[in-house]
Short mmCIF file of all heavy atoms in Angstrom, two decimals:
data_model
loop_
_atom_site.label_atom_id
_atom_site.label_comp_id
_atom_site.label_asym_id
_atom_site.label_seq_id
_atom_site.Cartn_x
_atom_site.Cartn_y
_atom_site.Cartn_z
N LEU A 1 0.82 -1.21 0.00
CA LEU A 1 0.00 0.00 0.00
C LEU A 1 0.86 1.26 0.00
O LEU A 1 0.36 2.35 0.27
CB LEU A 1 -0.93 0.00 1.23
CG LEU A 1 -1.93 -1.16 1.31
CD1 LEU A 1 -2.76 -1.06 2.58
CD2 LEU A 1 -2.84 -1.20 0.09
N ASP A 2 2.14 1.12 -0.31
CA ASP A 2 3.06 2.26 -0.34
C ASP A 2 3.18 2.82 -1.75
O ASP A 2 2.83 2.17 -2.74
CB ASP A 2 4.44 1.83 0.17
CG ASP A 2 4.37 1.30 1.60
OD1 ASP A 2 3.56 1.84 2.38
OD2 ASP A 2 5.10 0.34 1.91
N ASN A 3 3.71 4.03 -1.84
CA ASN A 3 4.02 4.68 -3.12
C ASN A 3 2.82 4.79 -4.05
O ASN A 3 2.94 4.64 -5.27
CB ASN A 3 5.15 3.93 -3.84
CG ASN A 3 6.43 3.94 -3.03
OD1 ASN A 3 6.79 4.95 -2.42
ND2 ASN A 3 7.11 2.80 -3.00
N ILE A 4 1.64 5.02 -3.47
CA ILE A 4 0.43 5.23 -4.26
C ILE A 4 0.12 6.73 -4.26
O ILE A 4 -0.08 7.33 -3.21
CB ILE A 4 -0.75 4.43 -3.70
CG1 ILE A 4 -0.44 2.93 -3.76
CG2 ILE A 4 -2.02 4.74 -4.49
CD1 ILE A 4 -1.45 2.07 -3.05
N GLU A 5 0.11 7.32 -5.42
CA GLU A 5 -0.08 8.77 -5.54
C GLU A 5 -1.52 9.17 -5.30
O GLU A 5 -1.82 10.07 -4.52
CB GLU A 5 0.37 9.24 -6.92
CG GLU A 5 0.20 10.74 -7.13
CD GLU A 5 0.60 11.16 -8.53
OE1 GLU A 5 1.26 10.36 -9.24
OE2 GLU A 5 0.26 12.28 -8.92
N VAL A 6 -2.45 8.49 -5.98
CA VAL A 6 -3.86 8.90 -5.88
C VAL A 6 -4.75 7.69 -6.13
O VAL A 6 -4.40 6.78 -6.89
CB VAL A 6 -4.16 10.02 -6.91
CG1 VAL A 6 -4.02 9.51 -8.34
CG2 VAL A 6 -5.57 10.59 -6.69
N ILE A 7 -5.90 7.69 -5.44
CA ILE A 7 -6.95 6.71 -5.70
C ILE A 7 -8.23 7.50 -5.94
O ILE A 7 -8.65 8.29 -5.09
CB ILE A 7 -7.15 5.74 -4.52
CG1 ILE A 7 -5.88 4.90 -4.31
CG2 ILE A 7 -8.35 4.83 -4.76
CD1 ILE A 7 -5.93 4.03 -3.07
N LYS A 8 -8.84 7.30 -7.09
CA LYS A 8 -10.13 7.93 -7.41
C LYS A 8 -11.16 6.81 -7.49
O LYS A 8 -10.96 5.84 -8.22
CB LYS A 8 -10.04 8.71 -8.72
CG LYS A 8 -9.05 9.87 -8.64
CD LYS A 8 -8.99 10.66 -9.93
CE LYS A 8 -7.97 11.79 -9.83
NZ LYS A 8 -7.90 12.58 -11.09
N MET A 9 -12.25 6.97 -6.75
CA MET A 9 -13.11 5.83 -6.51
C MET A 9 -14.59 6.19 -6.57
O MET A 9 -15.02 7.22 -6.05
CB MET A 9 -12.75 5.25 -5.13
CG MET A 9 -13.48 4.01 -4.73
SD MET A 9 -12.69 3.41 -3.21
CE MET A 9 -13.95 2.31 -2.63
N GLY A 10 -15.35 5.35 -7.22
CA GLY A 10 -16.81 5.42 -7.16
C GLY A 10 -17.31 4.20 -6.43
O GLY A 10 -16.73 3.11 -6.55
N THR A 11 -18.37 4.35 -5.64
CA THR A 11 -18.86 3.22 -4.86
C THR A 11 -20.38 3.21 -4.84
O THR A 11 -21.02 4.26 -4.80
CB THR A 11 -18.32 3.27 -3.42
OG1 THR A 11 -18.93 2.23 -2.66
CG2 THR A 11 -18.60 4.60 -2.76
N THR A 12 -20.94 2.01 -4.85
CA THR A 12 -22.39 1.86 -4.72
C THR A 12 -22.76 1.36 -3.33
O THR A 12 -23.85 0.83 -3.13
CB THR A 12 -22.94 0.89 -5.78
OG1 THR A 12 -22.30 -0.39 -5.61
CG2 THR A 12 -22.70 1.39 -7.18
N VAL A 13 -21.88 1.55 -2.36
CA VAL A 13 -22.16 1.11 -0.99
C VAL A 13 -23.46 1.74 -0.48
O VAL A 13 -24.36 1.07 0.04
CB VAL A 13 -20.99 1.45 -0.04
CG1 VAL A 13 -21.39 1.26 1.41
CG2 VAL A 13 -19.78 0.57 -0.36
N ALA A 14 -23.58 3.07 -0.64
CA ALA A 14 -24.78 3.77 -0.17
C ALA A 14 -25.97 3.48 -1.07
O ALA A 14 -27.10 3.32 -0.59
CB ALA A 14 -24.52 5.27 -0.09
N THR A 15 -25.74 3.39 -2.39
CA THR A 15 -26.83 3.10 -3.33
C THR A 15 -27.51 1.79 -2.98
O THR A 15 -28.73 1.70 -2.89
CB THR A 15 -26.27 3.03 -4.77
OG1 THR A 15 -25.36 4.10 -4.99
CG2 THR A 15 -27.40 3.09 -5.79
N ASN A 16 -26.68 0.75 -2.78
CA ASN A 16 -27.23 -0.57 -2.50
C ASN A 16 -27.92 -0.62 -1.15
O ASN A 16 -28.95 -1.29 -0.98
CB ASN A 16 -26.12 -1.62 -2.58
CG ASN A 16 -25.52 -1.71 -3.97
OD1 ASN A 16 -26.14 -1.28 -4.94
ND2 ASN A 16 -24.32 -2.24 -4.08
N ALA A 17 -27.37 0.09 -0.16
CA ALA A 17 -28.01 0.14 1.16
C ALA A 17 -29.39 0.77 1.05
O ALA A 17 -30.33 0.35 1.73
CB ALA A 17 -27.14 0.92 2.14
N LEU A 18 -29.54 1.78 0.20
CA LEU A 18 -30.84 2.43 0.00
C LEU A 18 -31.80 1.53 -0.76
O LEU A 18 -32.96 1.37 -0.37
CB LEU A 18 -30.65 3.75 -0.75
CG LEU A 18 -31.91 4.60 -0.95
CD1 LEU A 18 -32.46 5.05 0.40
CD2 LEU A 18 -31.61 5.81 -1.83
N LEU A 19 -31.32 0.91 -1.85
CA LEU A 19 -32.18 0.05 -2.66
C LEU A 19 -32.70 -1.13 -1.85
O LEU A 19 -33.86 -1.54 -1.97
CB LEU A 19 -31.42 -0.46 -3.89
CG LEU A 19 -31.11 0.57 -4.98
CD1 LEU A 19 -30.20 -0.03 -6.03
CD2 LEU A 19 -32.38 1.09 -5.62
N GLU A 20 -31.83 -1.71 -1.00
CA GLU A 20 -32.21 -2.90 -0.24
C GLU A 20 -32.70 -2.56 1.17
O GLU A 20 -33.01 -3.47 1.95
CB GLU A 20 -31.01 -3.85 -0.15
CG GLU A 20 -30.50 -4.31 -1.51
CD GLU A 20 -29.31 -5.25 -1.41
OE1 GLU A 20 -29.45 -6.31 -0.78
OE2 GLU A 20 -28.24 -4.90 -1.93
N ARG A 21 -32.76 -1.26 1.48
CA ARG A 21 -33.21 -0.79 2.80
C ARG A 21 -32.37 -1.42 3.92
O ARG A 21 -32.90 -2.00 4.86
CB ARG A 21 -34.69 -1.10 2.99
CG ARG A 21 -35.64 -0.33 2.06
CD ARG A 21 -35.52 1.19 2.31
NE ARG A 21 -36.60 1.94 1.68
CZ ARG A 21 -36.56 2.47 0.47
NH1 ARG A 21 -35.46 2.33 -0.26
NH2 ARG A 21 -37.58 3.16 0.00
N LYS A 22 -31.05 -1.28 3.78
CA LYS A 22 -30.13 -1.84 4.76
C LYS A 22 -29.25 -0.76 5.38
O LYS A 22 -28.07 -0.96 5.66
CB LYS A 22 -29.26 -2.94 4.13
CG LYS A 22 -30.05 -4.18 3.73
CD LYS A 22 -29.13 -5.25 3.13
CE LYS A 22 -29.93 -6.50 2.77
NZ LYS A 22 -29.07 -7.54 2.14
N GLY A 23 -29.84 0.44 5.57
CA GLY A 23 -29.09 1.53 6.18
C GLY A 23 -29.11 1.44 7.70
O GLY A 23 -29.53 0.43 8.29
N GLU A 24 -28.66 2.52 8.34
CA GLU A 24 -28.58 2.57 9.81
C GLU A 24 -29.97 2.82 10.41
O GLU A 24 -30.78 3.57 9.86
CB GLU A 24 -27.64 3.71 10.22
CG GLU A 24 -27.23 3.67 11.67
CD GLU A 24 -26.06 2.74 11.92
OE1 GLU A 24 -25.67 2.00 10.99
OE2 GLU A 24 -25.54 2.75 13.04
N ARG A 25 -30.25 2.19 11.54
CA ARG A 25 -31.50 2.46 12.26
C ARG A 25 -31.51 3.93 12.69
O ARG A 25 -30.54 4.43 13.27
CB ARG A 25 -31.62 1.55 13.48
CG ARG A 25 -31.73 0.07 13.14
CD ARG A 25 -31.78 -0.76 14.41
NE ARG A 25 -32.99 -0.50 15.19
CZ ARG A 25 -33.17 -0.92 16.43
NH1 ARG A 25 -32.21 -1.58 17.06
NH2 ARG A 25 -34.31 -0.66 17.07
N THR A 26 -32.60 4.63 12.40
CA THR A 26 -32.63 6.09 12.53
C THR A 26 -33.88 6.56 13.27
O THR A 26 -34.97 6.01 13.07
CB THR A 26 -32.59 6.74 11.13
OG1 THR A 26 -31.38 6.35 10.47
CG2 THR A 26 -32.63 8.26 11.22
N VAL A 27 -33.71 7.58 14.12
CA VAL A 27 -34.83 8.25 14.75
C VAL A 27 -34.92 9.68 14.19
O VAL A 27 -33.90 10.31 13.93
CB VAL A 27 -34.68 8.29 16.29
CG1 VAL A 27 -33.41 9.02 16.71
CG2 VAL A 27 -35.90 8.95 16.94
N LEU A 28 -36.13 10.14 13.95
CA LEU A 28 -36.37 11.49 13.44
C LEU A 28 -36.89 12.37 14.57
O LEU A 28 -37.87 12.03 15.24
CB LEU A 28 -37.39 11.45 12.30
CG LEU A 28 -37.95 12.80 11.84
CD1 LEU A 28 -36.85 13.67 11.23
CD2 LEU A 28 -39.09 12.60 10.84
N LEU A 29 -36.23 13.50 14.80
CA LEU A 29 -36.71 14.52 15.73
C LEU A 29 -37.23 15.70 14.92
O LEU A 29 -36.48 16.27 14.12
CB LEU A 29 -35.59 14.99 16.67
CG LEU A 29 -35.33 14.12 17.91
CD1 LEU A 29 -34.65 12.82 17.50
CD2 LEU A 29 -34.45 14.85 18.91
N ILE A 30 -38.50 16.05 15.11
CA ILE A 30 -39.11 17.08 14.28
C ILE A 30 -39.99 17.97 15.16
O ILE A 30 -40.43 17.56 16.24
CB ILE A 30 -39.93 16.44 13.14
CG1 ILE A 30 -40.25 17.45 12.03
CG2 ILE A 30 -41.18 15.75 13.65
CD1 ILE A 30 -40.71 16.81 10.73
N THR A 31 -40.23 19.18 14.72
CA THR A 31 -41.06 20.14 15.46
C THR A 31 -42.44 19.54 15.78
O THR A 31 -43.06 18.90 14.92
CB THR A 31 -41.24 21.43 14.64
OG1 THR A 31 -39.95 21.97 14.33
CG2 THR A 31 -42.05 22.45 15.41
N LYS A 32 -42.90 19.74 17.00
CA LYS A 32 -44.19 19.19 17.42
C LYS A 32 -45.31 19.68 16.51
O LYS A 32 -45.40 20.85 16.16
CB LYS A 32 -44.49 19.60 18.87
CG LYS A 32 -45.73 18.91 19.44
CD LYS A 32 -45.89 19.19 20.92
CE LYS A 32 -47.09 18.44 21.47
NZ LYS A 32 -47.27 18.66 22.93
N GLY A 33 -46.16 18.72 16.13
CA GLY A 33 -47.25 19.03 15.20
C GLY A 33 -46.95 18.60 13.78
O GLY A 33 -47.85 18.61 12.93
N PHE A 34 -45.70 18.21 13.51
CA PHE A 34 -45.30 17.85 12.14
C PHE A 34 -44.80 16.40 12.07
O PHE A 34 -44.01 16.06 11.20
CB PHE A 34 -44.23 18.82 11.63
CG PHE A 34 -44.72 20.22 11.46
CD1 PHE A 34 -44.67 21.11 12.52
CD2 PHE A 34 -45.26 20.64 10.26
CE1 PHE A 34 -45.14 22.41 12.38
CE2 PHE A 34 -45.73 21.93 10.10
CZ PHE A 34 -45.67 22.82 11.17
N LYS A 35 -45.29 15.58 12.98
CA LYS A 35 -44.83 14.19 13.07
C LYS A 35 -44.95 13.46 11.74
O LYS A 35 -44.07 12.67 11.37
CB LYS A 35 -45.64 13.47 14.15
CG LYS A 35 -45.29 12.00 14.32
CD LYS A 35 -46.12 11.37 15.42
CE LYS A 35 -45.76 9.89 15.60
NZ LYS A 35 -46.55 9.28 16.70
N ASP A 36 -46.04 13.69 11.01
CA ASP A 36 -46.30 12.95 9.77
C ASP A 36 -45.97 13.76 8.51
O ASP A 36 -46.34 13.35 7.41
CB ASP A 36 -47.76 12.52 9.72
CG ASP A 36 -48.11 11.55 10.85
OD1 ASP A 36 -47.31 10.63 11.08
OD2 ASP A 36 -49.15 11.74 11.50
N ALA A 37 -45.27 14.88 8.66
CA ALA A 37 -45.02 15.75 7.51
C ALA A 37 -44.25 15.03 6.40
O ALA A 37 -44.56 15.18 5.21
CB ALA A 37 -44.26 17.00 7.95
N LEU A 38 -43.24 14.24 6.78
CA LEU A 38 -42.44 13.56 5.75
C LEU A 38 -43.19 12.38 5.17
O LEU A 38 -42.96 12.03 4.00
CB LEU A 38 -41.10 13.11 6.34
CG LEU A 38 -40.22 14.21 6.98
CD1 LEU A 38 -38.84 13.68 7.28
CD2 LEU A 38 -40.13 15.43 6.08
N ARG A 39 -44.04 11.75 5.95
CA ARG A 39 -44.88 10.67 5.41
C ARG A 39 -45.89 11.23 4.40
O ARG A 39 -46.09 10.68 3.32
CB ARG A 39 -45.60 9.95 6.56
CG ARG A 39 -46.83 9.15 6.15
CD ARG A 39 -46.51 8.09 5.11
NE ARG A 39 -46.03 6.84 5.67
CZ ARG A 39 -45.62 5.80 4.94
NH1 ARG A 39 -45.62 5.90 3.62
NH2 ARG A 39 -45.19 4.71 5.51
N ILE A 40 -46.53 12.35 4.74
CA ILE A 40 -47.49 12.97 3.83
C ILE A 40 -46.79 13.53 2.60
O ILE A 40 -47.25 13.37 1.47
CB ILE A 40 -48.26 14.10 4.55
CG1 ILE A 40 -49.10 13.52 5.71
CG2 ILE A 40 -49.16 14.87 3.59
CD1 ILE A 40 -49.67 14.56 6.65
N GLY A 41 -45.62 14.15 2.82
CA GLY A 41 -44.85 14.71 1.71
C GLY A 41 -45.65 15.73 0.94
O GLY A 41 -46.32 16.60 1.51
N TYR A 42 -45.60 15.62 -0.40
CA TYR A 42 -46.32 16.56 -1.26
C TYR A 42 -47.59 15.93 -1.84
O TYR A 42 -48.21 16.48 -2.74
CB TYR A 42 -45.41 17.05 -2.38
CG TYR A 42 -44.21 17.80 -1.85
CD1 TYR A 42 -42.92 17.30 -2.01
CD2 TYR A 42 -44.36 19.01 -1.18
CE1 TYR A 42 -41.82 17.98 -1.51
CE2 TYR A 42 -43.27 19.69 -0.68
CZ TYR A 42 -42.00 19.18 -0.85
OH TYR A 42 -40.92 19.86 -0.35
N GLN A 43 -47.91 14.72 -1.36
CA GLN A 43 -49.10 13.99 -1.82
C GLN A 43 -49.07 13.70 -3.31
O GLN A 43 -50.12 13.62 -3.97
CB GLN A 43 -50.39 14.73 -1.43
CG GLN A 43 -50.53 14.94 0.07
CD GLN A 43 -51.92 15.42 0.47
OE1 GLN A 43 -52.90 14.74 0.25
NE2 GLN A 43 -51.97 16.62 1.05
#
């Protein structure tokens, strides 16, 4: 791993995690009264 000038890299690590729904367990904190705002979205 020595004498390497540059590594330019593309990765689908995040893409695949999103497609397969294998991301990190997440909690959403949002202003009171807007609990379902992201679920409703723009309809």
Side-chain angles (χ1 to χ4, degrees):
L1 299 179
D2 301 324
N3 299 320
I4 298 172
E5 179 182 346
V6 65
I7 296 173
K8 297 181 181 180
M9 184 171 163
T11 174
T12 59
V13 168
T15 316
N16 297 340
L18 184 63
L19 290 172
E20 300 180 60
R21 294 298 193 268
K22 292 181 179 178
E24 193 84 352
R25 296 177 66 192
T26 300
V27 60
L28 169 65
L29 276 72
I30 196 164
T31 303
K32 188 173 183 178
F34 295 88
K35 178 179 180 179
D36 297 315
L38 303 190
R39 160 58 85 183
I40 296 168
Y42 298 115
Q43 300 191 62

